[in-house]
Amino acid sequence: MSELLEAVRAGRMAETLRLLRSLTESERRSHLPELKELRRELRRTRVWEARSGQVLPALHLAGAACHTGAAAAADWLGATDLRWSHAPTDSLLRVLEHRDTGWLADVAHRLARRPVSAGVPYPLMAGLVHRAGCDVPVTDAYVTGWIQHISHASNHSGVLDALRGEPHLATLVSGLFTLTDLREVRWLLGDGSRSWQSALTDLTREGLLDRAFLVDACVARLLRGGGPTDHRVFLPLLTRLSPTREEQRARIADWTALARDAVSPVATHAQTVLAALALAGDLTPAQLTEASGGLLFRTEKKLVRAQLVLLGKVLARDRGAAAELLPVVIQAFGHEDVRVQERALKLVERYAGQLDPAGELGHAVGRLSPVLRARASALPGVTVAPREVYEEVLPPAPEPVRLASVPESAVELAEEVGALLASPGDDVAGFERALDGLVRHAYRDPNALREALAPVVANRWWAISDDSQWPHRDTYFGNDRYGTIGARDGIDLLLATLHEKVGTATLCDAVRQGPREQECAHSGLSRVFDARLREVAYRVRTEPLPLLLATPTWSTGALEPEDLVARLAEYRRLDARVAATDFAQALLRLRRDDPTAVAEAARRARALGTREGSRLARHLTAPNPGRPATRRRTGGVRILLEQGELPGFPEGFPTEFHHLGRPVSVFTGRHRCNHWDDAIRPHWLAVLPERRELVAVRLLRDIAATAVDDERDTGVLPLLAESGGEAGEAVHLCVAYGLGARHAEDRLAAVDALLVLAARGQLDAARLGADLGQLVRRGAVKPQRLADAARTAAATGANATIWGMLRHTLPVLLADLATARPEAGAVSARGLGDLLAVAADCAERSGVRAEMPHLAHTAARKGNSRMVSEARRLRAALAPETAAA
């Protein structure tokens, strides 16, 4: 071992630096092989052991000095495995100071071209640039490092003083505007008087920065766009620079582009600039028309209304511009906000003489709401076409997909298992196919199955760890683990069982004792899922099953009776013993909605002459089980359901299944629930695919939390709607909470569920609407969120469906307003206005005529607030003469 390597291994930095500085070029190169070997050795060492001393920093220093090529030296200096234990920058610069300036410049620029995530220290790059005397590399990594360095170094002196001392100020400031991503530095740039924006503005006044360049750079960066918060850096800077009227006029095309396409704050600023120019006479009608054309299509109602106000002012001053400006005003006839439509119509009415009624105006009138359309018919020469008969358009209900047969090849099965383990674990069909495939192939040829699975299990934690590294592996797969087993855990359990990584005693105890989870609303479902997996794993070890009885026929989890009869016949042929939990799960999954198929399956099952066949026949011919009694309970703002005992359910089922029939209380284990993984919920639906109300009542508190506590958990709602059985009180309450969820993605899932129920003819709009009224009234669902969800559903063509829902929601809220009850304070006027607007849209499009209690009182209130305006609009839409127009 050389003296240098010995010093590096000992982590003696001072000695390593001394030895390196005394070596010649060729001697340094000769040490490279042993340094690279040490690096490979450390990679195989546990990370926490390698970092415990100074080995890696000393290695980092030695490797940088011994590489003679600029590319190789840069790769070593910026290596990922040395990133968190690099040598001190001063030592690195000292050991490289003998290199010529061209070499140093090459290394500096190579390091600067690395991504920001590489974490190359800015002092190292800046030190190399200073010693090389080269141009500053204006890259993301260098500029980001510079901003961080200035910000951290100026905590006491301020950014302005730190920037004054920067020798490459103009070049690096220009790099700020070309940064690809500002997320690393956005928080450092700050706000207010001590921000970078303030400092840069002061530097332009002092002449250290070119003001015209900064104005151009700000506008160019805002036009380019970028991250969602990038404008918070460049728009305040542009505002502080205060472009003159001449500078604003020179950039009319830029303001137009920003007003049309930029994010809302930037568009608002651009619109303000354009408005000032227009009112000062610096915009031609053609330029104003071009800017308005994009603005009037934006979704921000405030921007659209402001632009119409501006157009009105310009027209009042110059009536001759009407022929050029009114065609763009007409575009607002198609806006979703009726108040925008009305404002645009007022302008057209005032200057209608300047337009050709047979031209664009005649076609655009048809886009107005029915009330405004009738009003527009009074315009000279405008003929409103008769209203078409409304036809509800609902998205087609998803059809269940039949599960494909298990792959005959163990290699194909292994590929499916690998894909399943890499997925979130919420695919019921994929899980059930993989489970059945593992059971079948383990019965036929376990050795061939293990061979095919070798690439899949190679990196599983239970396969690569021995008992010394994972002493509690059996505990993890046993019934003492914290929380219940999930889908991917279940596949891991079977794989570990196949590869003898779990003790037989552990598997036996798990089956005999059952899961040791604390009681909660989900326990009945989770215990069934858990118990079946553990018995299957135990049987794979002790008495392999030829196949699984409960594998669904359909993607919803439903099982056709004839399929179960055929599987029981195969068991009889092979003289195999049925797994009790697998058979019980199969019974729960049976479809019984086709009397002919059920009778034939019962006859064939009875003819098998086996105990399970007779049990199946009795199950198929028995009356449908009764519904458990339910009652509503309130807790805070929530409305929840309690469920009584399921009549006659436990008879003949294994012990772990008895929990499904027990009462469900709103107080049971709500603070001790361990079921955090959302991916398990679709599998719970597959436990009772034909009794979704029993599942929904157990998920209700979770779904309610998405609206009340802003949690994320509605992904199961579309599957709930696609499932079988009655869609009753629990299902509709779940959908109601989902429509008021905090996050837009969760509301969208609830909208999907609502539309699926409607397409299947299972939606009780009156029940759902009444539930929503009470939830909004109590404050569990915010009206703005509900309005957003309802608008999204209506946009698919389901106007009559959403109207049927809201016609039962709004009277509950309007009644409080009409009687001045205290509950009315829970619903803001703005929120109620949003709901009334959606209801009015749906009523106008569907052409309904109806009476809505308490609507007239709200419409008769004084003022023109959104709530009052939309109430009047809804009242007009529901009036018989309007509907007939």
Side-chain angles (χ1 to χ4, degrees):
M1 182 186 301
S2 68
E3 187 179 1
L4 175 63
L5 186 61
E6 184 178 350
V8 170
R9 282 186 173 277
R12 296 192 290 267
M13 287 291 297
E15 183 179 350
T16 301
L17 177 59
R18 179 181 58 78
L19 291 172
L20 288 169
R21 298 189 71 184
S22 65
L23 296 176
T24 64
E25 198 80 8
S26 60
E27 287 174 336
R28 291 188 182 194
R29 282 197 299 268
S30 67
H31 287 290
L32 272 177
E34 59 184 7
L35 293 174
K36 291 179 178 179
E37 179 57 34
L38 176 58
R39 183 179 175 185
R40 285 191 290 270
E41 178 186 331
L42 291 176
R43 283 173 177 167
R44 296 190 294 268
T45 308
R46 293 186 181 184
V47 176
W48 53 89
E49 293 177 359
R51 292 178 181 167
S52 61
Q54 293 294 316
V55 181
L56 284 178
L59 177 62
H60 189 230
L61 179 66
C66 293
H67 279 93
T68 55
D75 286 342
W76 186 280
L77 285 167
T80 303
D81 57 329
L82 301 172
R83 172 183 176 184
W84 300 110
S85 298
H86 54 74
T89 299
D90 290 344
S91 298
L92 288 170
L93 294 175
R94 287 181 63 191
V95 84
L96 297 176
E97 62 185 4
H98 68 287
R99 302 285 188 179
D100 64 78
T101 57
W103 188 93
L104 293 173
D106 193 2
V107 172
H109 280 260
R110 287 178 183 274
L111 290 175
R113 287 195 293 270
R114 288 178 170 266
V116 176
S117 58
V120 179
Y122 168 77
L124 175 61
M125 294 186 289
L128 292 172
V129 168
H130 175 70
R131 283 163 174 75
C134 61
D135 293 336
V136 176
V138 187
T139 64
D140 280 6
Y142 196 92
V143 175
T144 297
W146 173 69
I147 294 173
Q148 292 170 338
H149 174 75
I150 292 290
S151 298
H152 293 314
S154 61
N155 287 336
H156 301 291
S157 61
V159 173
L160 180 59
D161 291 340
L163 289 176
R164 284 195 185 106
E166 172 57 55
H168 306 287
L169 178 63
T171 303
L172 290 172
V173 168
S174 70
L176 169 63
F177 295 93
T178 59
L179 277 179
T180 305
D181 192 344
L182 289 177
R183 285 179 296 181
E184 293 288 335
V185 297
R186 165 68 188 90
W187 65 279
L188 292 171
L189 297 175
D191 298 295
S193 60
R194 296 179 64 85
S195 66
W196 276 66
Q197 296 93 322
S198 176
L200 293 177
T201 306
D202 290 342
L203 291 173
T204 62
R205 297 193 188 100
E206 297 173 10
L208 295 177
L209 288 174
D210 183 1
R211 181 182 173 283
F213 164 77
L214 287 184
V215 172
D216 285 335
C218 285
V219 173
R221 180 57 192 249
L222 292 173
L223 284 168
R224 169 185 153 188
T229 61
D230 286 7
H231 65 275
R232 296 180 185 175
V233 174
F234 302 108
L235 183 57
L237 176 56
L238 179 62
T239 304
R240 286 176 178 274
L241 291 171
S242 301
T244 64
R245 181 58 56 84
E246 290 73 21
E247 289 173 328
Q248 291 176 345
R249 278 199 300 267
R251 296 173 175 83
I252 288 176
D254 295 334
W255 305 128
T256 299
L258 291 173
R260 293 164 61 104
D261 302 319
V263 294
S264 187
V266 178
T268 300
H269 175 78
Q271 183 189 47
T272 302
V273 174
L274 288 171
L277 292 173
L279 295 177
D282 292 328
L283 279 188
T284 65
Q287 290 172 326
L288 182 56
T289 297
E290 183 182 1
S292 302
L295 267 167
L296 294 179
F297 279 108
R298 292 189 68 107
T299 58
E300 301 94 331
K301 299 171 187 177
K302 183 177 179 181
L303 277 173
V304 176
R305 288 196 294 266
Q307 192 66 15
L308 288 174
V309 169
L310 172 63
L311 289 168
K313 291 180 179 179
V314 174
L315 285 169
R317 190 184 59 190
D318 182 10
R319 297 179 67 91
E324 198 165 358
L325 294 180
L326 285 184
V328 77
V329 173
I330 290 172
Q331 295 179 10
F333 284 8
H335 198 277
E336 63 176 16
D337 188 347
V338 176
R339 289 189 294 176
V340 169
Q341 294 182 13
E342 185 176 14
R343 190 180 292 273
L345 181 58
K346 284 181 179 178
L347 283 177
V348 172
E349 287 173 334
R350 191 176 303 161
Y351 305 101
Q354 307 286 336
L355 288 172
D356 178 10
E360 187 176 350
L361 177 60
H363 299 292
V365 165
R367 299 198 295 269
L368 291 168
S369 69
V371 175
L372 296 177
R373 194 182 309 131
R375 176 174 151 186
S377 64
L379 291 171
V382 173
T383 302
V384 178
R387 180 171 186 159
E388 297 181 359
V389 177
Y390 174 77
E391 182 178 355
E392 184 83 343
V393 179
L394 291 172
E399 294 292 335
V401 178
R402 183 180 285 271
L403 265 68
S405 57
V406 171
E408 291 296 325
S409 164
V411 174
E412 292 180 22
L413 174 64
E415 291 176 354
E416 291 193 8
V417 171
L420 181 65
L421 290 173
S423 71
D426 56 357
D427 180 7
V428 173
F431 168 74
E432 293 288 348
R433 268 172 50 86
L435 191 66
D436 191 27
L438 289 172
V439 168
R440 289 174 183 261
H441 282 275
Y443 180 82
R444 297 174 194 167
D445 191 345
N447 291 328
L449 177 59
R450 279 190 284 267
E451 182 179 353
L453 288 170
V456 176
V457 305
N459 293 319
R460 304 307 294 173
W461 64 267
W462 48 264
I464 62 177
S465 58
D466 54 31
D467 291 339
S468 63
Q469 291 177 305
W470 194 274
H472 305 297
R473 181 166 46 198
D474 262 21
T475 303
Y476 183 86
F477 284 122
N479 57 356
D480 292 329
R481 56 171 288 165
Y482 189 60
T484 52
I485 199 167
R488 287 182 299 182
D489 291 332
I491 297 297
D492 265 328
L493 172 62
L494 256 68
L495 294 177
T497 301
L498 278 168
H499 290 81
E500 299 183 352
K501 295 291 186 178
V502 185
T504 305
T506 299
L507 296 171
C508 181
D509 287 343
V511 172
R512 180 169 52 85
Q513 298 175 9
R516 296 181 182 178
E517 64 173 15
Q518 295 178 336
E519 194 72 19
C520 69
H522 314 113
S523 297
L525 300 167
S526 65
R527 284 176 180 272
V528 169
F529 183 81
D530 193 289
R532 176 179 174 233
L533 278 174
R534 295 191 184 282
E535 185 177 14
V536 168
Y538 178 64
R539 290 290 299 273
V540 165
R541 173 67 56 81
T542 59
E543 186 183 357
L545 299 165
L547 52 89
L548 291 180
L549 298 172
T551 303
T553 305
W554 303 101
S555 55
T556 60
L559 173 61
E560 294 293 342
E562 60 266 27
D563 289 344
L564 180 54
V565 172
R567 293 167 188 172
L568 286 175
E570 180 67 8
Y571 265 77
R572 186 188 66 170
R573 185 184 72 82
L574 297 171
D575 193 25
R577 183 170 66 88
V578 168
T581 54
D582 186 39
F583 180 56
Q585 175 64 94
L587 295 179
L588 294 180
R589 285 177 170 171
L590 285 173
R591 286 186 58 194
R592 299 175 60 185
D593 53 358
D594 185 345
T596 303
V598 167
E600 176 61 20
R603 184 191 64 78
R604 291 174 53 204
R606 198 175 293 109
L608 291 176
T610 62
R611 183 179 63 180
E612 286 78 17
S614 299
R615 171 78 190 284
L616 173 58
R618 290 196 303 271
H619 183 82
L620 290 172
T621 55
N624 285 325
R627 294 184 299 175
T630 59
R631 70 166 178 165
R632 292 198 168 199
R633 296 289 297 267
T634 58
V637 299
R638 290 175 172 83
I639 297 175
L640 300 173
L641 291 178
E642 289 190 327
Q643 181 178 275
E645 188 171 347
L646 188 61
F649 178 79
E651 182 180 353
F653 281 89
T655 303
E656 296 303 331
F657 284 64
H658 292 183
H659 293 265
L660 288 176
R662 295 178 182 174
V664 178
S665 168
V666 297
F667 303 108
T668 302
R670 65 180 185 181
H671 299 303
R672 300 190 300 273
C673 179
N674 297 327
H675 304 100
W676 310 296
D677 186 5
D678 294 346
I680 194 62
R681 282 156 173 72
H683 298 277
W684 288 346
L685 269 173
V687 169
L688 292 166
E690 298 299 301
R691 299 293 299 273
R692 58 182 162 189
E693 275 288 293
L694 300 182
V695 181
V697 76
R698 290 168 164 83
L699 296 178
L700 183 56
R701 180 176 286 276
D702 302 327
I703 304 298
T706 65
V708 179
D709 302 323
D710 296 350
E711 294 187 6
R712 307 293 298 267
D713 200 13
T714 66
V716 74
L717 286 180
L719 301 178
L720 188 67
E722 295 171 27
S723 199
E726 177 193 12
E729 191 174 15
V731 169
H732 282 78
L733 260 180
C734 283
V735 174
Y737 278 115
L739 292 174
R742 162 66 177 82
H743 299 281
E745 298 85 352
D746 290 326
R747 293 197 296 272
L748 189 59
V751 168
D752 288 343
L754 183 153
L755 295 175
V756 169
L757 289 173
R760 297 179 69 184
Q762 298 169 342
L763 179 69
D764 187 340
R767 182 201 294 267
L768 178 60
D771 285 343
L772 283 167
Q774 293 300 326
L775 291 174
V776 172
R777 185 171 182 254
R778 296 177 62 86
V781 167
K782 290 182 170 55
Q784 289 93 336
R785 297 176 185 173
L786 173 58
D788 175 75
R791 188 179 296 108
T792 301
T796 66
N799 292 287
T801 299
I802 300 306
W803 162 250
M805 176 185 79
L806 291 179
R807 70 176 298 184
H808 294 91
T809 302
L810 286 168
V812 178
L813 309 176
L814 294 173
D816 288 340
L817 197 65
T819 57
R821 284 199 290 262
E823 293 88 343
V827 183
S828 67
R830 177 186 173 189
L832 190 52
D834 289 342
L835 285 175
L836 286 165
V838 178
D841 284 340
C842 294
E844 290 173 349
R845 290 187 173 94
S846 59
V848 298
R849 299 183 234 181
E851 289 288 337
M852 177 175 285
H854 311 292
L855 177 62
H857 178 274
T858 304
R861 292 166 70 103
K862 295 181 180 180
N864 291 302
S865 66
R866 177 89 189 277
M867 179 184 69
V868 174
S869 298
E870 295 297 347
R872 292 169 184 166
R873 176 188 164 207
L874 179 57
R875 180 183 62 180
L878 297 176
E881 61 273 14
T882 302

